[in-house]
Amino acid sequence: MGTRKLFIRTYGCQMNVYDSERMGSALAADGYEEVATPEEADLVILNTCHIREKAAEKVYSELGRLKPLKAAKPDLQIAVAGCVAQAEGEEITRRQPMVDLVVGPQAYHRLPAMAAKQRATGAAQLDTEFPEEDKFDHLPEKPKARRAPAAFLTVQEGCDKFCAFCVVPYTRGAEVSRPAARVLAEARDLVSRGVREVTLLGQNVNAYHGEGDSGTWSLARLVTELARIEGLERIRYTTSHPNDMTDDLIAAHAAEPKLMPYLHLPVQAGSDRVLKAMNRKHTAEEYIRLIEHIRVARPDIALSGDFITGFPGETEADFEETMALVREVRYASAFSFKYSPRPGTPAASSEQVPEEAKAERLARLQALLTEQQTAFQHSCIGRTLPVLVEKPGRNPGQMVGRSPYLQAVHFDCAADRVGEILPVEITASATNSLAGRAA
Ligand code: SAH
Ligand code: SF4
Ligand code: F3S
């Protein structure tokens, strides 16, 4: 048998992007080679997301699309990985018997063995265990391939917060932090392969409490040590919870120039009544005071957030408090969603806000957030920003990179400058990107 061909489709958050890369590496060590389309593949992995109903249903429509492929090529293996796999388990093979492998986010290191066993026996394989060991210890890296200049690095996984709307504590399990030495080693390896910027990932990344050389390290300590790695120029982290935004981490934003001035700090809602019902364990006022502290440490920080409209019990007056909070904070970017009841979460069984109200509030909120984002983008015109060159842009001769504030910046530049940080004078802005010229 020649090399087996692998195709991975990734849905959901950045952690799934990271996990897909690691699954690719684990399977490469087992003789698999990644291909660009499912048609060429012997194994198709759908790395899924369960966060909202729409996200979770995507996997079933994708499986529907794969059906003719499977019919034409019966030994094609189809795997469902990620948070739908964890949440639905055997339900997936009941609904779609063409699925051969169901593998939860903590069991990826067992994927090569599962695939081999399925081939040998023909029986569907399922693994949604939460093993105690660090799955990353068992995921070998590919031979030292060069990497794009910006990479993700998971430092923490899982969540103990149990917000009343959220599936993550169930799909990703309890909070676990990777030991600091492992994170540092992975970062050094990434840098040796051309990476200049790392984004530290965790469902609750600022709750990081990894084993260090002298006791437990906080995220601030980890960032400080990472910043000492020569060649690593930029550090980011996501996603944070307001209650874990500690003073040492805020201080790091003032003290550590490699820590980028961008912070994704979801608040979800602006009404204390709703925040309490969501089990967020902070008030709107506490969030606003926290933002003030952060802005004292790093006045130019670009703030981002997540919002939910139409959480059970949210009234028009509650929603107006969300709008007031947004006006006060002034976000540089944000994500907002209609509340989606998720099976097994506490809020799913409460009386629901009518769909029209959820949608109408979302439209109003998004209009305000877009206005703020546009204003922030516009405020960058005329400034010269350091841009990490990442890849070719749409037009010939053009490259695209990222500003410190995570904005995409298009500008004319030679292709051999990927990985360099160049000063770019910003000349124009759109909602989702900037244009400039090399200064
Ligand atoms: N760990 C991160 C992200 C969780 S998921 C955090 O704590 O912020 C990303 C976002 O999806 C959440 O911040 C929330 O705004 C949204 N979300 C989660 N569950 C949802 C649901 N049931 N309905 C609508 N939006 C939801
Ligand atoms: Fe979900 Fe984030 Fe709340 Fe955890 S803190 S339950 S991941 S929204
Ligand atoms: Fe989705 Fe799981 Fe990430 S539910 S948002 S893929 S943690």
Side-chain angles (χ1 to χ4, degrees):
M1 189 185 69
T3 42
R4 295 182 59 79
K5 307 270 194 292
L6 167 68
F7 176 80
I8 308 181
R9 196 184 295 290
T10 307
Y11 304 86
C13 63
Q14 291 131 325
M15 194 171 284
N16 267 9
V17 174
Y18 177 86
D19 283 348
S20 289
E21 280 178 15
R22 300 303 298 267
M23 279 190 267
S25 306
L27 288 160
D30 206 48
Y32 283 81
E33 179 195 334
E34 282 196 56
V35 291
T37 63
E39 286 73 19
E40 302 161 69
D42 304 300
L43 168 61
V44 171
I45 300 177
L46 305 179
N47 193 8
T48 61
C49 174
H50 197 63
I51 201 81
R52 285 166 291 274
E53 191 182 352
K54 248 195 210 150
E57 284 304 314
K58 272 187 196 156
V59 56
Y60 291 104
S61 40
E62 183 63 24
L63 287 171
R65 277 193 290 276
L66 290 173
K67 229 177 188 159
L69 209 62
K70 176 85 172 178
K73 188 172 164 184
D75 56 358
L76 167 68
Q77 289 181 302
I78 295 186
V80 175
C83 289
V84 176
Q86 191 65 43
E88 296 186 6
E90 284 174 355
E91 183 59 29
I92 297 172
T93 40
R94 257 197 297 278
R95 238 176 110 173
Q96 270 296 0
M98 67 187 260
V99 173
D100 302 296
L101 307 165
V102 175
V103 56
Q106 307 307 331
Y108 294 154
H109 52 296
R110 302 194 186 136
L111 200 50
M114 288 171 72
K117 189 157 178 206
Q118 194 280 332
R119 277 202 307 278
T121 64
Q125 303 290 310
L126 175 129
D127 193 339
T128 53
E129 298 280 298
F130 283 106
E132 278 304 305
E133 78 253 57
D134 183 341
K135 67 179 175 187
F136 301 110
D137 290 353
H138 303 272
L139 290 181
E141 272 294 345
K142 261 185 286 205
K144 307 285 171 197
R146 199 145 175 92
R147 298 284 308 260
F152 295 130
L153 203 179
T154 293
V155 302
Q156 179 272 344
E157 193 165 357
C159 181
D160 297 338
K161 295 277 192 291
F162 291 92
C163 298
F165 49 81
C166 185
V167 294
V168 170
Y170 311 95
T171 62
R172 293 279 172 167
E175 267 176 45
V176 179
S177 295
R178 297 179 68 196
R182 299 261 161 72
V183 175
L184 290 165
E186 190 171 330
R188 283 191 205 98
D189 178 63
L190 288 169
V191 169
S192 75
R193 295 193 282 142
V195 169
R196 294 290 165 261
E197 171 179 312
V198 292
T199 300
L200 308 178
L201 297 182
Q203 268 85 34
N204 234 311
V205 71
N206 58 344
Y208 178 82
H209 54 278
E211 173 197 329
D213 50 7
S214 49
T216 301
W217 284 18
S218 66
L219 186 66
R221 176 81 197 274
L222 185 66
V223 164
T224 307
E225 297 297 330
L226 283 164
R228 289 184 211 270
I229 298 177
E230 210 179 312
L232 180 60
E233 306 297 344
R234 292 177 160 192
I235 301 166
R236 306 178 186 276
Y237 60 94
T238 199
T239 295
S240 298
H241 190 287
N243 290 0
D244 293 311
M245 208 61 218
T246 49
D247 289 343
D248 64 339
L249 187 55
I250 297 174
H253 276 282
E256 184 43 68
K258 289 186 180 180
L259 187 55
M260 289 294 101
Y262 172 92
L263 179 63
H264 184 65
L265 195 62
V267 64
Q268 316 294 356
S271 145
D272 290 344
R273 224 173 50 78
V274 172
L275 287 169
K276 188 153 197 283
M278 286 178 163
N279 194 30
R280 290 290 292 184
K281 299 199 171 83
H282 62 75
T283 64
E285 183 66 21
E286 282 161 352
Y287 179 82
I288 286 169
R289 293 288 90 83
L290 179 61
I291 298 292
E292 283 171 359
H293 274 125
I294 296 165
R295 281 188 165 138
V296 168
R298 184 75 207 224
D300 68 331
I301 200 156
L303 289 163
S304 164
D306 290 338
F307 296 90
I308 294 176
T309 66
F311 184 79
E314 184 189 73
T315 63
E316 183 55 31
D318 289 320
F319 174 69
E320 276 306 331
E321 293 188 58
T322 299
M323 295 290 276
L325 179 144
V326 170
R327 281 188 204 101
E328 185 152 357
V329 171
R330 287 172 291 113
Y331 287 91
S333 69
F335 303 90
S336 47
F337 316 95
K338 285 186 287 188
Y339 171 68
S340 169
R342 306 306 293 129
T345 60
S349 47
S350 305
E351 197 184 324
Q352 300 296 310
V353 169
E355 188 57 31
E356 311 78 71
K358 285 184 193 174
E360 190 269 336
R361 288 173 198 168
L362 182 68
R364 266 192 286 160
L365 176 61
Q366 289 186 336
L368 176 60
L369 290 167
T370 304
E371 192 184 301
Q372 295 192 343
Q373 182 170 340
T374 308
F376 178 73
Q377 294 284 91
H378 197 76
S379 74
C380 294
I381 294 177
R383 291 181 65 188
T384 296
L385 301 177
V387 172
L388 173 62
V389 186
E390 287 186 8
K391 57 183 182 209
R394 213 169 293 141
N395 304 328
Q398 200 183 52
M399 298 296 282
V400 56
R402 294 265 169 194
S403 78
Y405 311 109
L406 204 58
Q407 299 148 297
V409 182
H410 299 263
F411 66 112
D412 287 341
C413 144
D416 63 1
R417 314 228 34 197
V418 167
E420 289 183 51
I421 295 174
L422 302 176
V424 176
E425 187 192 340
I426 306 304
T427 53
S429 76
T431 309
N432 291 310
S433 67
L434 299 173
R437 70 171 87 84

